[in-house]
Amino acid sequence: MAQLLITGGAGFIGSHTCVVLLEAGHSLVVLDNYSNGSPEALQRVASLVGPDGARRLCVVEGDIRNPSDLERAFHAAPAGAPVEAVVHFAGLKAVGDSVNDPLTYWDVNVGGSRSLLAAMQRQGCRTLVFSSSATVYGFPTQVPIAETAPVHPINPYGHSKAAVEQLLADLAASEAGWRIARLRYFNPVGAHPSGAIGEDPLGTPNNLFPFITQVAVGRRPVVSVFGGDWPTQDGTGVRDYIHVMDLAEGHGAALEHLLTQGDTLLTLNLGSGQGHSVLEVLRCFETACGRSIPHQIVAQRPGDTAITVADPSRAQQVLGWRTQRSLRQICEDGWAWQRANPQGYRP
Ligand SMILES: NC(=O)c1ccc[n+]([C@@H]2O[C@H](COP(=O)([O-])OP(=O)(O)OC[C@H]3O[C@@H](n4cnc5c(N)ncnc54)[C@H](O)[C@@H]3O)[C@@H](O)[C@H]2O)c1
């Protein structure tokens, strides 16, 4: 079992991955500045994994851009155990915000990753799992999208992810010993089946699923559906939704692979390979929560695509991993979280 550093572990995907990694017996130091995460999420992670798991979870509040915060995190493990690998979630993820404020996005996502990698080099830790995104593909020329598709992002968020991917490739080529997985997530949704942890966006959600859950629980009046005239079966956009627990398990598998097989640079799509339209998701969620979800069709958003679906076969070949959970389970678990926590982690 390894000593790991998890940046952004208090966030949506990070907190679920912490549960999976602690349950697998790893020891974790989480570094998070709580700009979009909550200490409460980590307390709930600790309760979910029980006293033995909780003893293997150590939390450092700090910023990945700050070398002294990174230094503290690398030395925070009890008994000074060296960090063997890093899982790097910390970053900003709202496409719209990135268009309005590209400097901040490049600072946190690219500058922060550069500063983390420099700290890893200083500490002699060269194993990394990085949160990339299907956004790097931009407008896909072919669907389902394989990892060989051109990287051609169309917004500053996507550019920042593609830039870090390039930095990681340069690093892997520069020096033997780096073992890096660049994981391109499709649409992570759902929640831990306990309903204790889930997605808790600050302000207006950028993505469909938290919007639906907040309308279902009465926090917002209506779901806006961006475009009813896409060339799809019902006119609404089609996406590849991946249950956050499947995604978390994908990180466990990638880490295991890097630590045991020693691949230098791995690039994998993490998606289900199944496409669902917005109306399909709405109907499925209505069944899960037993109430109707008011929605209205509005204009398409610039930069959106009709259909984005992963070809996840490479992850299955290399890691032996594939998604296990259906859209129905995504909706049931997402509803269990939102119903039990109508205001997210806030009291
Ligand atoms: N959720 C998605 O739809 C999605 C899709 C593709 C890729 N990703 C990527 O996955 C990663 C995790 O996404 P998420 O949905 O869990 O987001 P999130 O915002 O819930 O989690 C990110 C965490 O990083 C922390 N953080 C942000 N800046 C930091 C900094 N400078 N120093 C330390 N901590 C910092 C936040 O407080 C938060 O806890 C991100 O890098 C995101 O770009 C997310």
Side-chain angles (χ1 to χ4, degrees):
M1 293 305 119
Q3 175 65 54
L4 309 172
L5 170 61
I6 316 291
T7 74
F12 171 44
I13 305 167
S15 54
H16 291 78
T17 305
C18 284
V19 171
V20 165
L21 296 176
L22 288 165
E23 283 176 344
H26 297 296
S27 298
L28 314 183
V29 173
V30 167
L31 174 65
D32 202 298
N33 69 356
Y34 302 129
S35 57
N36 198 39
S38 161
E40 173 66 19
L42 291 170
Q43 276 166 23
R44 295 192 187 184
V45 166
S47 331
L48 283 172
V49 297
D52 170 54
R55 268 192 294 277
R56 287 181 279 105
L57 173 64
C58 167
V59 180
V60 173
E61 181 172 357
D63 196 303
I64 52 166
R65 293 166 293 177
N66 184 338
S68 66
D69 289 352
L70 286 163
E71 196 81 11
R72 273 194 301 128
F74 271 101
H75 294 106
V83 170
E84 289 163 63
V86 176
V87 187
H88 177 30
F89 295 105
L92 303 178
K93 62 171 181 178
V95 169
D97 291 352
S98 79
V99 173
N100 297 325
D101 189 3
L103 283 177
T104 301
Y105 270 70
W106 279 76
D107 181 34
V108 175
N109 290 1
V110 183
S113 298
R114 198 215 72 89
S115 138
L116 170 68
L117 291 164
M120 289 178 69
Q121 201 164 43
R122 281 196 300 278
Q123 302 296 332
C125 171
R126 290 182 172 75
T127 303
L128 174 81
V129 177
F130 171 61
S131 300
S132 190
S133 166
T135 317
V136 299
Y137 296 118
F139 293 116
T141 47
Q142 230 182 334
V143 178
I145 308 170
E147 292 84 351
T148 46
V151 168
H152 196 231
I154 52 167
N155 53 58
Y157 169 67
H159 288 139
S160 73
K161 290 290 178 190
V164 177
E165 283 204 1
Q166 185 59 55
L167 171 55
L168 294 173
D170 292 346
L171 204 53
S174 72
E175 188 189 8
W178 283 97
R179 294 180 292 187
I180 295 171
R182 307 183 299 184
L183 304 183
R184 295 175 178 163
Y185 315 155
F186 280 66
N187 289 64
V189 284
H192 189 272
S194 64
I197 56 173
E199 186 167 14
D200 182 24
L202 286 176
T204 309
N206 293 291
N207 299 328
L208 173 71
F209 200 81
F211 221 109
I212 293 179
T213 63
Q214 291 191 6
V215 169
V217 86
R219 271 172 72 179
R220 295 179 190 279
V222 60
V223 175
S224 297
V225 177
F226 296 105
D229 49 359
W230 293 103
T232 60
Q233 75 268 22
D234 61 21
T236 63
V238 169
R239 295 290 176 273
D240 183 330
Y241 294 96
I242 173 170
H243 194 298
V244 65
M245 292 304 294
D246 279 327
L247 187 57
E249 287 164 9
H251 286 73
L255 199 58
E256 191 69 25
H257 180 86
L258 291 182
L259 290 170
T260 57
Q261 310 289 315
D263 244 317
T264 314
L265 183 67
L266 201 55
T267 307
L268 296 174
N269 286 339
L270 295 188
S272 69
Q274 305 289 317
H276 295 287
S277 76
V278 175
L279 293 183
E280 233 181 301
V281 176
L282 273 165
R283 275 195 298 272
C284 189
F285 199 87
E286 286 180 331
T287 307
C289 72
R291 45 184 89 171
S292 73
I293 312 283
H295 64 274
Q296 62 187 6
I297 308 273
V298 298
Q300 293 181 4
R301 280 185 305 195
D304 269 355
T305 54
I307 305 178
T308 299
V309 175
D311 173 354
S313 53
R314 188 145 192 268
Q316 181 161 9
Q317 277 159 22
V318 177
L319 305 179
W321 166 93
R322 66 186 175 84
T323 58
Q324 306 285 339
R325 297 159 179 90
S326 63
L327 180 63
R328 186 183 167 146
Q329 187 151 10
I330 285 171
C331 294
E332 286 173 356
D333 292 343
W335 176 234
W337 150 253
Q338 194 73 78
R339 188 185 43 198
N341 304 274
Q343 302 298 326
Y345 292 113
R346 284 161 294 280

